[in-house]
Amino acid sequence: MNIPSFVTASESVTRSDSFYRPHPGEVFQRRCINKTSLKQAEIAKRIGISTKHLSRFTNGHVHVGVELARKLEACTNISASAWLHYQTQYDLYTTVKLKTMPSLMTP
């Protein structure tokens, strides 16, 4: 299999790994909970999750999957893909210190 020259000739792109990416629960806390007078129990009920689950989510202990992303989308008008993007960015940020593997593109 031949690798096209534009792939092997391209420069690697690096991003600062020190740029903080918040957990989606922190985003939800800042963008939604802090802007309402509703209690956590009422917010959890509207989302369709338990109060304990909401608390664990806002404290960064719950991973956003498709189901939770859809529930958040329904009550926040922030797309499910945005919530999943926040989770992915957070996961990449928290795993940046893992040992890097050698590139598949180098001979």
Side-chain angles (χ1 to χ4, degrees):
M1 178 174 140
N2 289 335
I3 298 173
S5 62
F6 70 87
V7 173
T8 57
S10 63
E11 296 179 27
S12 69
V13 177
T14 58
R15 293 175 53 163
S16 172
D17 293 329
S18 62
F19 185 68
Y20 178 68
R21 277 90 168 183
H23 184 275
E26 185 180 332
V27 175
F28 182 74
Q29 179 83 34
R30 189 176 63 243
R31 293 182 68 180
C32 303
I33 293 178
N34 291 346
K35 295 181 179 182
T36 184
S37 61
L38 296 174
K39 301 290 183 200
Q40 277 206 352
E42 180 61 28
I43 295 169
K45 183 178 177 182
R46 290 184 183 198
I47 297 173
I49 61 176
S50 70
T51 305
K52 181 178 180 178
H53 192 76
L54 177 62
S55 176
R56 290 182 44 76
F57 170 60
T58 58
N59 288 312
H61 301 292
V62 172
H63 180 89
V64 174
V66 173
E67 184 178 352
L68 180 55
R70 289 285 183 205
K71 290 178 179 184
L72 293 169
E73 176 182 49
C75 73
T76 64
N77 292 324
I78 299 171
S79 72
S81 59
W83 289 110
L84 293 169
H85 176 75
Y86 294 144
Q87 183 66 55
T88 301
Q89 291 303 307
Y90 175 77
D91 292 345
L92 290 169
Y93 173 74
T94 57
T95 59
V96 73
K97 292 183 181 180
L98 294 177
K99 184 178 177 181
T100 58
M101 302 299 288
S103 173
L104 296 173
M105 305 312 284
T106 55

